[in-house]
Amino acid sequence: MASMGELAAGAVAPLRAGKNSDRSPQSILFLIALWVALGFAVLCLLTLLIDAVLDGLPRLDANLFTQYASTLSPETGGARAAILGSAMVIGFTALFAIPLGVAAAVYLEEFADGERWWNRLIEVNIQNLAAVPAIIYGMLTAGFALAIGLERRVVVTAAIALALLILPVIIVTSREALKAVPSEIRQGSLALGATPLQTVWRQTLPAAVPGVATGTILALSRAIGEAAPLLLLGGLSFVTYDPNGLLSGYTVLPIQIYGWVQQPQVEFRQLASAAIIVLLLLLLLMNAIAIIIRNRYQRRW
Amino acid sequence: MKRMTFGHMTIPAALTLTLVLAACGGGQEDATDAVDDATGAVESAASGDAPASDAPAGDASGEVVVDGSSTVAPLTSAAGELFTQENAGVNVSVATSGTGGGFEKFCLGETDISNASRAIEEDETAVCDENGVEYTELQVATDALTVVVSADNDFITCLTVEELATLWGPEAENTITTWDQVNPEFPAETIELYGPGTDSGTFDYFTGEVNGEEGASRADYNASEDDNLIVQGVSGSANALGYFGYTYFEENAETLKAVEVDSGDGCVAPSPETSADGTYTPLSRPLFIYVSNASYADKPQVASFIDYFVANDAEIAEASQFIALNDEQRTALTDAAAALAG
Amino acid sequence: MTATTADGGSLLGAGPGPGAAARDLARTITRRSNRVGEKFAMALITLAAVLSVFITIGIVASLLLPAIEFFSFEDSPSVVDFLTGTRWAPTFADASFGVLPLITGTLWTTGIALLIAVPFGLGAAIYLAEYASFGVRRVLKPVLEVLAGIPSVVYGYFALTFVAPALLKDILAIDVGTYSVLAAGLVLGVMIIPTIASLSEDAMSAVPSAMRDGSLALGANKMRTVLRVVFPAAISGITAAIVLGISRAVGETMIVALAAGTQARMVAAPDQPGQTMTGFIAQTATGESQPGTITYDALFAVGLTLFVITLIINVISIRLVRRFREKY
């Protein structure tokens, strides 16, 4: 009589006999369908990249980075104002969004009593905010700027709009990072006499930094590609100077691309493609940095 | 968190590196002075200093804020670019809110110069008076408002003003939908219409001349303040028609065809000559910039820009493919500008 | 992992983490801190969290106030006319403010987008979760993440310069003009494939392997297991993914602004141009808007409609997730 062990082994064996041991036509068709689905996504990505690169590579020259946009001579025009503008706006966006987002995440994760209705309200609220369309954040910031007398078409307003946009994302990812820190760390610190705030500041948060950094960089890379909120803030104008301060006019890469794509002349198409290549490279760089941080510094508890 | 191995992460990093290197090495063409100056400026700009310290500097510095007609905008932008090459400290920003939109901001004192493809109207003058904004009107170019179809369109060469009115009048909305309703000889294809939005001086002028009343138009067409969108739309379909300033046709002459207009004396094609001698009617019109007297007096960079514009008007018009003024109009311009300065 | 698709991470449930235990412990040990600095710091971080509530209030206020103003002009439509009218011509002499044309534009683009994104996204998710080897997944998940990270203006450029002229007109011989809801919808679909794929894949990976093993042990082949066991078990997460995809498609601006057109009409076929709610907002915002006029406020009325629609979609999603969620 077969023992339990032999029965079990017999039952397990077919599972290991081969990943796709079923050869029925439906199974094969199903697998092919899945491959097609996956291949479609990859194909779209490749087509998009190749299309942009083929079109824009001729214009990927020094002029792109050093010249301003030109309506007279698009062959020598460039995206200088947009590149510097993007850098400046993202810098301030990070400055506004990261402290606020991390602070809110700390409160929700470390101090808030999850049973109280107001804390639950805050959590639901953040979930809702993450799903609000980007252009509505532009409308919010436009209204806010008008209310306090701030000019709409300046760098600081753009930074506020983008910071509000990515705030929910930063809060959620920071919470996840904080959650991943084991409670022994916190308990040890408390046991040694530290206050909860000291514990957070000196133990929990530093331990969560890689996760927070990864999430933040990914959120910022989303902000760099956003144009919709900035359209409402008067972002679509012809700018031929470097941004020089919080209250300076500006343009950013996505908006410059938007403007160029709408011009039918082929030189502008090329410029748009070249600017797209620059933007995609920038995003690739940010994502690579995020992945490096995640791999090198992520601790396994 | 998922673990991704070091090996996998090198792929995006290597890709980035390769592409960045390719980009940097990808072409050092163009040895104009501007590039050399600008390269020096990039270093200083990247470290946060004021830009272009090496480029030739005029005396003026500051901002010149321009808004208004998208028809006139390329002209003013060209003037701005040429001006900035000699006065690198000045920022000329040109927005395109439409002639009407531009006047709204102008009469609130928000802009220094307003581009306009029609003359200012009474109710707009009233707002300017209310807010104490005094202005000077300068005609800077002439326009032959052009009706265009795609270069692939093979059934339209000439349209009478009556046919245009049938096509664009308010009664045509949802009724005139195929080309054979405009002219029985045309094929029974769906009409696609592109045109400026209602804040555009081009819209006001066209509807006034063709439909008899400014602002009277069918509403079911692709409206856009950006004439480039009209170019894109019309050139992409053989059954499309649109209208805008002559410059936009000139710049896209390979993909578009200008429709000849017959106002009773035969078909006339738009061109600088027919516009100047008046045979291209009723769609010839003047293009203006309105300068805020206060801005001219208080902001030296605005005064400098306007003086430059007026002095080099002919070159600027030629560079941006606009129809330049004739001698009579040029004299009027210099007189008006002198009055402004004096 | 949910950290990198943080849009919907929280939708799949934020349960109490290890911090919770320490939190409660902390509360019993030190009720209140006596140090002034700490009180101040606590106030600050509480304020940061409460800020999110202010943001929502701000959004509602910044949309509602101009929208109310919109309905209070003398030539304003009534709310009913606004919501049910079929002519949208806000700037013309005989203006009409019926928002239905814009809603049909949004419906068409979103519908076409879902037709693309749901089958391809779910297919990709099933493959990645159930069939892909570790090596394949290592390469393909980042591909999906890259697709997710591409800015929407790039997708819009792609729609206008490749999909409409080359793909639709030349290769597929569909008679579209420069602008059409089809071109915009197709690219919109490609944009939300990663959203649906990532979240569905997370949901399916979270199904305990005991269920799979049980099904296989009972003699079902892999396909049956996936379709009859894993998929239904993950249905709550998959629904959440699809609904999130819908709300992203509805709220997307740049693709439709570049590729769908500016003609607000009751769209009746995919090869027609049309204007979506977001497209109208973008067009008006970059146009002549002056605060206080009825055409500017129309922008906010449409924005409010959009906000309410996405809110409803979000609430439905939370309800569905809660209803279908299975606890393992």
Side-chain angles (χ1 to χ4, degrees):
Chain A
M1 195 134 86
S3 72
M4 281 303 295
E6 282 172 87
L7 274 176
V12 165
L15 291 175
R16 285 212 217 100
K19 243 172 18 116
N20 296 316
S21 54
D22 32 352
R23 295 265 176 270
S24 66
Q26 301 114 310
S27 294
I28 296 185
L29 276 175
F30 183 64
L31 195 58
I32 293 180
L34 295 182
W35 280 338
V36 166
L38 202 51
F40 180 77
V42 177
L43 185 67
C44 286
L45 179 63
L46 282 177
T47 319
L48 199 155
L49 291 178
I50 292 177
D51 187 40
V53 167
L54 278 181
D55 225 357
L57 210 50
R59 275 314 319 272
L60 210 59
D61 50 29
N63 276 346
L64 187 64
F65 298 92
T66 55
Q67 296 298 328
Y68 297 114
S70 157
T71 45
L72 269 187
S73 45
E75 317 81 44
T76 52
R80 170 171 163 173
I83 294 175
L84 292 173
S86 273
M88 192 174 233
V89 168
I90 287 301
F92 284 113
T93 304
L95 197 65
F96 296 153
I98 297 179
L100 280 177
V102 174
V106 163
Y107 173 80
L108 287 172
E109 194 56 36
E110 305 287 325
F111 295 100
D113 184 351
E115 302 302 312
R116 302 299 184 111
W117 67 268
W118 54 81
N119 289 321
R120 275 215 301 265
L121 176 71
I122 295 179
E123 295 196 6
V124 169
N125 195 37
I126 292 178
Q127 279 183 33
N128 277 331
L129 284 180
V132 166
I135 199 164
I136 292 195
Y137 282 103
M139 298 166 93
L140 165 67
T141 315
F144 171 70
L146 256 130
I148 66 170
L150 181 65
E151 263 198 273
R152 285 181 292 166
R153 45 170 280 276
V154 294
V155 170
V156 68
T157 321
I160 291 176
L162 292 179
L164 290 175
L165 175 69
I166 63 174
L167 199 58
V169 176
I170 292 187
I171 293 179
V172 167
T173 51
S174 303
R175 284 193 71 180
E176 299 272 328
L178 286 169
K179 237 186 261 198
V181 177
S183 57
E184 287 81 14
I185 306 270
R186 294 183 187 83
Q187 289 169 353
S189 169
L190 291 169
L192 289 171
T195 65
L197 210 58
Q198 281 175 327
T199 306
V200 167
W201 183 245
R202 300 200 185 200
Q203 295 298 331
T204 321
L205 210 45
V209 157
V212 169
T214 310
T216 308
I217 292 178
L218 292 174
L220 285 176
S221 73
R222 177 168 167 208
I224 261 192
E226 277 293 339
L230 305 182
L231 287 179
L232 261 128
L233 300 177
L236 192 65
S237 65
F238 186 69
V239 169
T240 50
Y241 51 88
D242 300 333
N244 49 13
L246 271 177
L247 291 177
S248 144
Y250 69 97
T251 187
V252 290
L253 267 174
I255 288 197
Q256 186 74 83
I257 295 172
Y258 181 61
W260 277 337
V261 174
Q262 293 183 326
Q263 314 263 34
Q265 291 88 2
V266 73
E267 294 89 2
F268 286 111
R269 285 288 161 82
Q270 282 192 322
L271 261 180
S273 319
I276 285 176
I277 297 178
V278 172
L279 184 59
L280 289 178
L281 286 179
L282 203 56
L283 289 172
L284 200 60
L285 190 67
M286 289 177 84
N287 275 293
I289 293 178
I291 293 177
I292 293 176
I293 294 182
R294 186 160 68 189
N295 290 344
R296 279 195 66 188
Y297 297 107
Q298 191 65 32
R299 282 191 245 176
R300 298 236 149 233
W301 304 101
Chain B
M1 305 270 165
K2 283 218 174 71
R3 267 203 76 102
M4 294 208 193
T5 65
F6 189 75
H8 164 66
M9 169 214 71
T10 51
I11 298 175
L15 211 59
T16 316
L17 206 58
T18 325
L19 285 168
V20 166
L21 287 176
C24 289
Q28 297 292 329
E29 64 222 278
D30 200 292
T32 61
D33 296 333
V35 175
D36 293 343
D37 293 332
T39 325
V42 167
E43 265 115 45
S44 54
S47 57
D49 303 344
S53 43
D54 306 327
D59 301 338
S61 74
E63 266 200 281
V64 179
V65 183
V66 188
D67 200 348
S69 162
S70 63
T71 306
V72 184
L75 184 66
T76 319
S77 298
E81 270 185 57
L82 294 169
F83 178 70
T84 334
Q85 281 174 17
E86 296 180 18
N87 297 274
V90 182
N91 297 340
V92 179
S93 65
V94 180
T96 49
S97 307
T99 304
F103 278 133
E104 278 179 44
K105 295 188 178 150
F106 182 71
C107 290
L108 288 173
E110 290 178 15
T111 58
D112 303 314
I113 301 174
S114 203
N115 293 327
S117 60
R118 59 157 170 80
I120 193 170
E121 288 175 349
E122 275 177 31
D123 48 342
E124 290 159 339
T125 317
V127 178
C128 270
D129 289 339
E130 243 177 73
N131 293 311
V133 174
E134 288 180 14
Y135 56 83
T136 306
E137 174 188 286
L138 300 174
Q139 180 187 352
V140 287
T142 311
D143 182 35
L145 207 165
T146 310
V147 179
V148 289
V149 292
S150 161
D152 298 331
N153 180 306
D154 54 4
F155 54 90
I156 299 182
T157 4
C158 178
L159 287 174
T160 64
V161 177
E162 291 74 33
E163 285 172 332
L164 281 174
T166 314
L167 189 58
W168 282 100
E171 317 73 37
E173 188 170 325
N174 291 328
T175 348
I176 308 287
T177 49
T178 53
W179 280 110
D180 55 345
Q181 289 172 298
V182 174
N183 182 329
E185 294 173 28
F186 293 157
E189 299 280 353
T190 320
I191 299 175
E192 289 169 44
L193 290 178
Y194 295 83
T198 54
D199 242 14
S200 161
T202 310
F203 173 82
D204 291 332
Y205 192 85
F206 184 82
T207 49
E209 294 297 326
V210 169
N211 296 330
E213 188 194 322
E214 260 190 27
S217 161
R218 66 190 298 172
D220 57 343
Y221 65 95
N222 284 282
S224 169
E225 273 82 32
D226 187 351
D227 295 318
N228 287 301
L229 285 180
I230 302 177
V231 173
Q232 259 186 19
V234 174
S235 57
S237 165
N239 298 318
L241 180 142
Y243 65 90
F244 42 50
Y246 182 70
T247 325
Y248 288 91
F249 162 67
E250 266 265 289
E251 286 180 354
N252 299 287
E254 319 85 47
T255 50
L256 295 175
K257 184 166 78 171
V259 173
E260 298 175 16
V261 175
D262 182 354
S263 57
D265 295 325
C267 295
V268 184
S271 76
E273 297 75 32
T274 56
S275 174
D277 64 22
T279 48
Y280 181 70
T281 64
L283 297 178
S284 284
R285 56 177 181 157
L287 297 179
F288 303 101
I289 59 171
Y290 285 78
V291 185
S292 158
N293 295 355
S295 293
Y296 190 94
D298 301 336
K299 298 189 192 176
Q301 71 270 21
V302 175
S304 184
F305 176 63
I306 294 293
D307 294 340
Y308 178 85
F309 202 155
V310 171
N312 300 292
D313 181 64
E315 291 80 20
I316 297 172
E318 197 187 309
S320 46
Q321 295 181 300
F322 274 77
I323 302 173
L325 301 171
N326 60 29
D327 296 324
E328 203 186 301
Q329 294 161 331
R330 171 94 17 83
T331 326
L333 174 66
T334 33
D335 289 344
L340 180 61
Chain C
M1 199 39 200
T2 48
T4 56
T5 54
D7 290 355
S10 54
L11 274 179
L12 288 181
R23 211 188 304 150
D24 300 332
L25 187 61
R27 237 176 257 122
T28 54
I29 291 177
T30 39
R31 280 270 163 212
R32 250 171 250 283
S33 172
N34 293 323
R35 302 159 74 177
V36 172
E38 295 230 336
K39 280 203 180 121
F40 186 61
M42 274 303 298
L44 277 183
I45 65 174
T46 316
L47 206 62
V50 172
L51 180 68
S52 66
V53 177
F54 285 131
I55 294 176
T56 308
I57 296 178
I59 290 180
V60 173
S62 68
L63 292 176
L64 202 57
L65 293 176
I68 292 178
E69 195 180 75
F70 168 73
F71 285 112
S72 65
F73 287 96
E74 47 170 85
D75 38 349
S76 296
S78 67
V79 178
V80 175
D81 284 339
F82 174 72
L83 291 175
T84 60
T86 58
R87 180 170 184 258
W88 181 258
T91 53
F92 287 86
D94 55 339
S96 304
F97 294 94
V99 82
L100 281 186
L102 298 180
I103 293 189
T104 63
T106 306
L107 281 177
W108 269 101
T109 49
T110 306
I112 294 174
L114 287 177
L115 271 179
I116 298 278
V118 169
F120 288 120
L122 286 183
I126 292 175
Y127 185 81
L128 282 177
E130 304 293 320
Y131 285 85
S133 67
F134 184 65
V136 170
R137 194 182 303 157
R138 244 177 26 167
V139 173
L140 286 177
K141 270 225 96 161
V143 166
L144 275 184
E145 283 186 19
V146 170
L147 255 184
I150 292 183
S152 50
V153 69
V154 177
Y155 279 116
Y157 156 86
F158 184 56
L160 192 59
T161 62
F162 179 77
V163 175
L167 182 67
L168 291 180
K169 271 219 284 225
D170 293 342
I171 299 180
L172 293 179
I174 305 177
D175 187 25
V176 288
T178 314
Y179 304 114
S180 60
V181 291
L182 184 60
L186 287 177
V187 174
L188 197 53
V190 173
M191 187 187 86
I192 61 178
I193 284 179
T195 309
I196 294 185
S198 294
L199 288 177
S200 306
E201 197 244 334
D202 285 343
M204 282 191 277
S205 298
V207 172
S209 49
M211 298 190 67
R212 285 188 197 83
D213 294 342
S215 166
L216 290 170
L218 286 171
N221 65 17
K222 185 122 186 191
M223 179 181 90
R224 281 246 182 86
T225 306
V226 166
L227 289 180
R228 301 281 182 93
V229 176
V230 179
F231 197 84
I235 197 76
S236 92
I238 293 176
T239 319
I242 294 180
V243 173
L244 185 69
I246 295 180
S247 84
R248 283 206 66 189
V250 164
E252 175 48 45
T253 306
M254 305 307 292
I255 299 180
V256 293
L258 280 171
T262 52
Q263 190 176 352
R265 55 191 293 177
M266 302 292 290
V267 182
D271 61 347
Q272 294 175 356
Q275 190 170 48
T276 63
M277 289 187 280
T278 48
F280 169 72
I281 296 176
Q283 182 196 19
T284 312
T286 54
E288 67 273 25
S289 54
Q290 269 303 111
T293 60
I294 193 171
T295 42
Y296 183 75
D297 290 342
L299 192 162
F300 287 90
V302 174
L304 186 62
T305 316
L306 180 68
F307 181 65
V308 167
I309 290 179
T310 42
L311 205 63
I312 293 176
I313 293 176
N314 206 30
V315 165
I316 291 179
S317 144
I318 295 180
R319 286 274 165 82
L320 283 178
V321 167
R322 222 175 273 155
R323 173 127 70 98
F324 290 131
R325 158 165 291 161
E326 312 249 3
K327 294 271 184 210
Y328 297 114

